[in-house]
Amino acid sequence: MSDERETYDIEATEAKWRPVWDELQPFRADDEAVRSGAKQSRYALTMFPYPSGDLHMGHAEVTALHDVISRYWWQRGFEVLNPMGWDSFGLPAENAAIRNDSHPADYTYGNIATQLESFQQYAVSFDWTRRFNTSDPSYYKWTQWLFLKFHERGLAYRKNSAVNWCPNDQTVLANEQVVDGACERCGAEVTKRELTQWYFRTTAYAQELLDGLDVLQPTWPNKVINAQRNWIGRSEGAHVDFVVEGRTEPLTVYTTRPDTLFGATFMVVAADAKLASDLVTQEHRQALEDYLVEVRKETEINRLATDRSKTGVFLGVQATNPLTGAQMPVYAADYVLADYGTGAIMAVPGQDQRDWDFAQVFDLPVIRTVQPPADFEGGAFTGEGPAINSANDEIDLSGLGVVEAKSTTIEFLERRGLGRGTVNFRIRDWLLSRQRYWGAPIPIIHCPVDGEVAVPEDQLPVELPELRGADLKPKGTSPLGAATEWLNVACPTCGGPATRDTDTMDTFVDSSWYFLRYPSPREDQRAFDTELVNMWGPVDLYVGGDEHAVLHLLYARFFTKALRDMGLISWDEPFTSYLSQGKVINEGRKMSKSLGNGINLGDQLAEFGVDAVRLTLVFASPPEDDIDWADVSPTGSLRFLQRAWRLSGDVTSAPGADPSGGDLALRKVTHKVVHDASHLVETYRFNVMVARTMELVNATRKAIDSGCGPADPAVREAVETVAILLSLVAPYTAEEMWERLGHQPTVARVGWPLVDEALLVEDVVTAVVQIQGKVRARLEVSPDISDADLEAAAMADETIVAALDGKTVRKVIVRAPKLVNIVAD
């Protein structure tokens, strides 16, 4: 029996096994094994990190969780592609270069080297032979190539429009990167600016992106599905044409409630939309321009706030309601946005609170078209009810519900040529231009003769020029514009003088296809090997955080569908299953330097060792829940690992000993734990799997100390099983145990223990006996016991006899073998 004080040197154990694993490369994926059919494939992927420093607690959590699945798949006999690289373009590196008067690559590649060392110490089962960085020219060459393919198909285009502008980072932002009116990265208040920018036509796939969520629903978290569904925002309504005085073309607006058209008493145009400038009369133009100055000071979030006082200016023109013939004054206001629908709305103050508020300020008429409840008090009624005040000589909606009233109105509008039923989406095209340096240059040349000209493929990649320090300071335009030698080129079409596009791509472009590069990371003739991508893909499990629910995940889905239509891949969705992990917090709050509650991962690893930190993160909670580091115990994890390790020194039977004649009770525990562990891992209940492993350690210790003893082959079977289970979460401890048990490395590839189904059959089960619904006794009975025998046993139990003394039994309900419920007076 081992001395309970006996332990192992954590630092020495980690130093011992790292070079062994480096030489063995047990997690190097073999393409040929899959191609030949010798092995089934699994593609495990965790979101690659940005190299902003060393690894932090969030990295430790996500990779520990991810590694449970990857290592389990290896143990189950699959060939596993589990790669890692770096999402290495981005603003932090550029800002560091400005501070340090250096090049962004210095910061980027220095941090990559640091993170690589930490990842390898952390013993994650990555295939390091496939790593790459998105800032490598050999990678962004193909990002540029894909951009040109999108451009050829009309999926990449350039237009002038009002865009989100971050005054701090001095660059534009996609709609998805604006959170509550602020820059998603730095928190600065976002403003609007008119610029000519590049877009990806994500709207071309809006319906398919929405439909695909139904397929993903069973294997993706509901909160992620719902976030994407809401962002895509499909609505059914109508485009309605309004005649406007002085204008030959009708003014078309989109509405989700065409049934309320009888209550439209005025129109509102977004003050910053070109339409407002087109409609305004000369007499009212100055008032509009003065108003625009104020509007441009406001963020979109403020403009849309329901509790904000309504402002606007009359444009001097009237529109005609197509159902009533009434004249409707047309206003410009800030509560309508230029990029919603056509940039104009029909205002129905009886049914929309913002329209109601505007009508009160400007003394405009209100006509209710939906009957509110009798006890309704207040302004606009936004609920459903029967239509009222909704009839003309040709159509009468009176009494109809919303659905029928909508369809009746749309049918009338289409019949009269006044409008048409329409499906609209909230999602907008992806704005990908960025006015910063450290990103993939957009491979377009602007020629005064030939316009937008694609950089020839044999000239890719368009590499970044050498800029550093002050040259990178944001000036509102891209720093690339100052690199005149790089900027000025000959047009590939006519040979005349031309200039390169000076913007770089949003870094989300890089991460929208990186998972396709891993199957053939050294391919230099194409973006990826289609055969290998189709063989390995799609990704079987993707692990990452909720913050990417819309941005990255939606963009990757868009790329996948576009590349499928180009014939480059054969599947529809990039990630078959998605596991969203919680955050690591401390003392109930997000870790922050300003709060002084940060936890340094390096310090934790130095104090407790890699395995204890990994085990703590996996055991703390279900993967989707946050982990409060103040509430967990890496010390307790370390003590458990030491107890497990000691078991390996107690076994005295020889390797290969036949366990079939060993202690039956321990064997039953072992096989039940393995059986349960398989299901628990496959359903992402990793913390419960660890708990079951702890139960097996306790049962084995008891068997050694006071049961069958260390020489029993059932003890060896149990301890070897513990080592294999621990290989999913504590690889150093598991490997050390495996060696002490007399085996060669590596335990990570020995295979999952086989379960003997006969050992899962229970000899006894616990039957609960209740009186009046309260538990009074528990009986150990045969799982095959009959209802009659179970009732007899319960009624004969001394505790039950005493509890029933003086009572009359009215009814006995038996559900053998688990329950007896006695009803007594």
Side-chain angles (χ1 to χ4, degrees):
M1 183 173 68
S2 295
D3 185 335
E4 280 296 307
R5 292 168 298 180
E6 184 185 4
T7 186
Y8 58 99
D9 186 322
I10 298 169
E11 188 175 350
T13 299
E14 292 177 3
K16 168 184 174 181
W17 288 112
R18 275 190 59 185
V20 174
W21 294 333
D22 287 345
E23 182 178 351
L24 292 176
Q25 294 193 31
F27 307 116
R28 184 170 184 171
D30 183 354
D31 295 332
E32 192 53 40
V34 179
R35 184 185 285 115
S36 67
K39 292 278 199 74
Q40 291 185 49
S41 69
R42 288 291 185 272
Y43 190 169
L45 189 64
T46 188
M47 293 180 181
F48 61 172
Y50 181 79
S52 56
D54 203 351
L55 300 182
H56 53 65
M57 294 301 293
H59 294 125
E61 181 197 18
V62 70
T63 50
L65 295 171
H66 165 87
D67 216 29
V68 173
I69 284 286
S70 178
R71 287 172 172 270
Y72 173 74
W73 282 342
W74 277 115
Q75 294 285 26
R76 295 308 300 243
F78 295 107
E79 194 69 20
V80 183
L81 175 58
N82 182 23
M84 177 49 69
W86 278 269
D87 189 12
S88 50
F89 270 140
L91 282 173
E94 193 165 334
N95 292 336
I98 294 169
R99 288 193 306 270
N100 302 328
D101 191 26
S102 62
H103 192 279
D106 300 340
Y107 172 92
T108 299
Y109 290 96
N111 284 333
I112 286 173
T114 299
Q115 288 192 1
L116 174 61
E117 168 62 24
S118 296
F119 268 133
Q120 291 178 328
Q121 178 193 359
Y122 202 57
V124 190
S125 62
F126 293 135
D127 180 353
W128 289 112
T129 67
R130 296 173 184 261
R131 74 178 184 266
F132 56 75
N133 314 304
T134 60
S135 56
D136 296 341
S138 59
Y139 181 85
Y140 72 75
K141 167 183 179 176
W142 299 109
T143 302
Q144 293 172 337
W145 182 84
L146 289 169
F147 174 92
L148 293 178
K149 293 304 169 187
F150 279 47
H151 188 251
E152 286 175 12
R153 297 176 69 90
L155 292 174
Y157 68 97
R158 198 165 177 251
K159 70 173 180 178
N160 180 270
S161 63
V163 297
N164 302 308
W165 180 259
C166 175
N168 180 58
D169 290 333
Q170 292 280 291
T171 190
V172 300
L173 302 171
N175 288 334
E176 293 86 346
Q177 292 168 306
V178 180
V179 180
D180 294 334
C183 173
E184 177 247 2
R185 199 198 67 80
C186 72
E189 193 171 87
V190 172
T191 60
K192 285 287 188 180
R193 195 181 255 203
E194 286 277 337
L195 289 172
T196 300
Q197 302 287 281
W198 286 98
Y199 292 79
F200 280 142
R201 205 179 299 276
T202 47
T203 52
Y205 287 89
Q207 187 62 55
E208 191 177 348
L209 288 167
L210 185 64
D211 292 342
L213 295 175
D214 293 334
V215 177
L216 298 174
Q217 183 90 49
T219 55
W220 279 39
N222 283 332
K223 57 188 173 182
V224 176
I225 294 288
N226 291 336
Q228 290 209 10
R229 195 166 270 142
N230 292 336
W231 188 260
I232 296 167
R234 187 182 194 273
S235 61
E236 297 181 9
H239 276 132
V240 183
D241 296 331
F242 292 80
V243 174
V244 179
E245 60 180 323
R247 181 182 170 96
T248 56
E249 291 293 318
L251 173 55
T252 301
V253 304
Y254 174 75
T255 175
T256 60
R257 293 292 301 275
D259 55 303
T260 64
L261 186 50
F262 282 98
T265 57
F266 59 98
M267 299 190 74
V268 180
V269 178
D272 51 347
K274 182 177 181 297
L275 180 61
S277 180
D278 292 344
L279 290 174
V280 68
T281 62
Q282 200 57 38
E283 178 186 354
H284 294 84
R285 185 170 298 279
Q286 188 59 52
L288 173 63
E289 291 176 358
D290 293 343
Y291 181 61
L292 261 177
V293 173
E294 300 304 314
V295 169
R296 285 175 174 147
K297 296 177 183 177
E298 298 293 337
T299 65
E300 283 192 6
I301 200 75
N302 287 337
R303 289 174 61 175
L304 294 175
T306 55
D307 57 352
R308 190 164 171 270
S309 298
K310 295 297 178 285
T311 61
V313 292
F314 179 50
L315 295 180
V317 294
Q318 302 277 339
T320 302
N321 186 312
L323 295 190
T324 67
Q327 292 299 288
M328 306 163 60
V330 182
Y331 287 81
D334 60 359
Y335 76 95
V336 175
L337 301 181
D339 61 355
Y340 177 78
T342 59
I345 65 162
M346 63 178 210
V348 185
Q351 266 51 74
D352 184 285
Q353 188 60 46
R354 290 180 301 171
D355 294 346
W356 171 283
D357 294 339
F358 192 91
Q360 302 307 301
V361 172
F362 289 91
D363 194 25
L364 297 165
V366 176
I367 300 173
R368 293 193 187 279
T369 57
V370 176
Q371 179 68 58
D375 60 350
F376 177 76
E377 295 181 3
F381 174 63
T382 58
E384 294 193 5
I388 58 174
N389 303 320
S390 300
N392 60 24
D393 292 341
E394 298 180 66
I395 181 174
D396 187 353
L397 307 180
S398 302
L400 298 181
V402 172
V403 175
E404 190 177 356
K406 280 178 67 172
S407 62
T408 302
T409 305
I410 291 171
E411 182 183 344
F412 174 78
L413 292 171
E414 290 179 339
R415 188 170 69 249
R416 293 290 306 274
L418 301 172
R420 62 222 135 273
T422 307
V423 172
N424 199 37
F425 293 93
R426 178 177 180 266
I427 190 173
R428 296 290 175 261
D429 285 342
W430 172 8
L431 171 56
L432 65 104
S433 295
R434 297 293 180 270
Q435 289 69 47
R436 299 301 294 255
Y437 169 78
W438 194 234
I442 292 174
I444 293 291
I445 292 169
H446 299 283
C447 174
V449 176
D450 297 300
E452 296 169 5
V453 181
V455 172
E457 289 185 16
D458 62 3
Q459 294 180 24
L460 298 178
V462 176
E463 293 198 40
L464 289 164
E466 180 72 15
L467 296 177
R468 57 179 54 238
D471 294 336
L472 303 173
K473 284 187 176 179
K475 307 174 182 68
T477 57
S478 174
L480 293 176
T484 54
E485 194 171 318
W486 176 90
L487 177 70
N488 297 305
V489 294
C491 171
T493 301
C494 69
T499 57
R500 296 190 187 280
D501 197 292
T502 58
D503 286 347
T504 53
M505 293 187 227
D506 181 3
T507 55
F508 279 109
V509 179
D510 307 323
S511 58
S512 291
W513 74 279
Y514 80 110
F515 52 94
L516 301 173
R517 184 71 177 168
Y518 282 129
S520 51
R522 307 295 164 246
E523 174 64 60
D524 61 1
Q525 298 301 308
R526 47 190 170 169
F528 49 84
D529 184 322
T530 294
E531 180 207 353
L532 288 175
V533 165
N534 287 333
M535 184 181 80
W536 284 107
V539 173
D540 291 289
L541 177 66
Y542 198 31
V543 184
D546 288 346
E547 66 272 21
H548 300 291
V550 170
L551 286 163
H552 164 57
L553 292 174
L554 191 63
Y555 293 156
R557 295 182 62 224
F558 161 67
F559 254 66
T560 296
K561 295 176 188 304
L563 295 175
R564 175 209 59 201
D565 288 348
M566 295 178 198
L568 295 177
I569 56 177
S570 61
W571 22 272
D572 300 327
E573 293 289 347
F575 315 120
T576 302
S577 298
Y578 179 64
L579 177 61
S580 177
Q581 97 282 356
K583 295 180 176 63
V584 183
I585 60 176
N586 192 28
E587 299 170 342
R589 296 180 294 180
K590 182 179 179 180
M591 294 187 197
S592 164
K593 288 182 181 178
S594 61
L595 294 173
N597 69 337
I599 299 295
N600 183 277
L601 174 60
D603 292 344
Q604 299 298 304
L605 297 178
E607 182 174 358
F608 302 108
V610 168
D611 285 357
V613 171
R614 285 176 56 138
L615 180 67
T616 301
L617 290 165
V618 173
F619 183 52
S621 68
E624 64 274 12
D625 291 353
D626 289 346
I627 297 171
D628 194 325
W629 199 249
D631 297 337
V632 298
S633 175
T635 302
S637 296
L638 180 57
R639 282 198 299 267
F640 163 71
L641 291 172
Q642 289 168 340
R643 291 190 70 221
W645 174 83
R646 290 186 195 109
L647 294 177
S648 64
D650 287 341
V651 175
T652 58
S653 60
D658 182 4
S660 61
D663 183 80
L664 184 61
L666 181 57
R667 295 203 73 212
K668 282 178 172 287
V669 174
T670 300
H671 285 253
K672 183 68 164 62
V673 167
V674 174
H675 174 270
D676 292 351
S678 300
H679 176 70
L680 292 168
V681 171
E682 289 167 9
T683 55
Y684 311 143
R685 297 165 64 195
F686 307 145
N687 58 322
V688 184
M689 181 273 292
V690 171
R692 298 306 317 276
T693 305
M694 291 176 172
E695 293 173 12
L696 180 56
V697 168
N698 292 338
T700 308
R701 171 52 60 198
K702 184 177 180 180
I704 292 172
D705 292 349
S706 58
C708 58
D712 193 297
V715 170
R716 168 170 286 278
E717 180 185 43
V719 178
E720 289 182 350
T721 298
V722 170
I724 293 170
L725 293 172
L726 284 181
S727 75
L728 307 188
V729 290
Y732 290 108
T733 304
E735 199 72 83
E736 190 72 8
M737 289 178 67
W738 198 246
E739 182 185 55
R740 278 160 57 95
L741 287 164
H743 300 297
Q744 294 297 309
T746 173
V747 65
R749 295 293 304 275
V750 298
W752 197 245
L754 296 176
V755 174
D756 185 341
E757 297 291 332
L759 294 174
L760 301 179
V761 177
E762 297 179 77
D763 292 332
V764 294
V765 296
T766 301
V768 173
V769 184
Q770 299 176 331
I771 299 176
Q772 309 296 78
K774 293 185 178 180
V775 177
R776 297 295 188 181
R778 289 182 171 84
L779 308 177
E780 297 297 312
V781 301
S782 166
D784 301 323
I785 193 170
S786 67
D787 285 358
D789 288 345
L790 181 56
E791 180 179 345
M795 299 305 290
D797 182 80
E798 292 180 2
T799 305
I800 299 301
V801 170
L804 289 174
D805 186 34
K807 296 183 174 67
T808 301
V809 176
R810 292 175 42 231
K811 189 176 184 180
V812 179
I813 303 167
V814 183
R815 297 287 184 269
K818 294 293 184 70
L819 176 68
V820 178
N821 190 16
I822 302 169
V823 181
D825 292 332

